[in-house]
Amino acid sequence: MTELFEPLTVRGTTIPNRVWMSPMCTYSALSDGSGVGAPNDFHLAHYAARAAGGVGLAVVEATGVLPEGRISPYDLGLWDDAQIPAHRRLAAAIADAGAVPGIQLAHAGRKASMERPWLGGGPVPAAEGGWPVVGPSGIAFPGYPEPAAMTVADIATVVAAWADSAQRALEAGYEVVEIHAAHGYLLHSFLSPLSNTRTDNYGGSLENRARIVLEVLDAVRAVWPADKPIFLRISTTDWVAEDPEDGRAAWTVEDSIVLSRWATDHGADLIDASSGALVPASIPHREDYQTRNAALLKAASGTLVAAVGRITDPATASELLSNGSADAVFIGRALLRDASWANNAATVLGARGRFMRQYDYAV
Ligand SMILES: Cc1cc2nc3c(=O)[nH]c(=O)nc-3n(C[C@H](O)[C@H](O)[C@H](O)COP(=O)(O)O)c2cc1C
């Protein structure tokens, strides 16, 4: 019998099953006018379809804690109280369709101000609405503009923005907040020595590089209710051993294990184990390229862990739980292809999906 469709209670929140929608940017908000950063009818249809398709939790895409923290001008945001009502509609639509509504709060750092991927990606010129980017140090993502190195006051502003956005997420009705510390965005760029060469309290030792992440966790935990979960998405590896120029070490699975333990002490309830995207790198082709790091993290840190990456078939998803690799799975692209992936997995595995709004469907 699969554990995929067993509920998981984290703090006071019961998630009805362990097949979760991974946060995925849709770059579909308005880029100017009063709707900037606000979910619209597209977002409602997109997320509610996947919630109705049976996922236990839907985590809404990377949502900027500040306007300059958006990946693109078309990202969602929660930096302004005026954005709360539209998010309230979205969270309610997800909940009404049967899934727990979650949201990923993000700052894109040196990878902000990008064009939408289907228009080729790449930096948006200032004349077309692009903005200057920031990072721990003046080290650019290859081919992108050089970020301004953040001052300690800038760091405090970002930490406070994360807490303010979490407060707004709470008012909007989200029940899980995920802090985005992966994929080369701001927090990951502080963690990795490849992008962080600071010599103050926010650079150097692992403890110093992790400081901003733990400060964000503390600040969010201070406003986020004790009965609601906080997730932390990390990249478990940079997929390179070192900087090709000067041999500076990269971020590793071992670092991720230490960070996961610290994060738990600072109020994180679950580590969402992604990888990469800090620098261009060659990523292994094997199906378990990323989920094996989730298993390592779970075994070594003892925290709740979600696996993600190239999980496309129900049997594999089920096995990740039964062999102890993870406590839940996040599904990304397979859910873009098939909004009912979760219910179909239930059918394939002989479990109970949630095919109707109010009734389980016994297969
Ligand atoms: C279109 C698209 C947008 C994405 N946006 C985000 C995002 O907003 N936040 C995030 O943490 N990961 C994002 N990801 C990564 C996915 O959440 C997921 O981790 C990744 O696609 C691997 O899982 P998969 O193989 O099941 O797709 C995105 C991926 C895709 C394909």
Side-chain angles (χ1 to χ4, degrees), residues 21-27 47 59-63 71 75 104 106 117-118 178-183 185 233-234 272-275 289-290 307-312 330-337:
M21 180 177 178
S22 202
M24 283 177 284
C25 286
T26 59
Y27 308 107
Y47 287 100
V59 177
V60 169
E61 66 202 71
T63 296
I71 299 168
D75 289 21
Q104 187 183 57
W118 55 87
E178 176 166 277
I179 293 163
H180 198 347
H183 303 166
Y185 297 119
R233 175 166 273 200
I234 61 171
D272 173 5
S274 190
S275 72
Y289 76 112
Q290 194 161 266
V308 62
R310 296 187 194 151
I311 303 170
T312 56
F330 272 113
I331 308 293
R333 288 163 292 179
L335 266 173
L336 297 183
R337 290 190 287 272

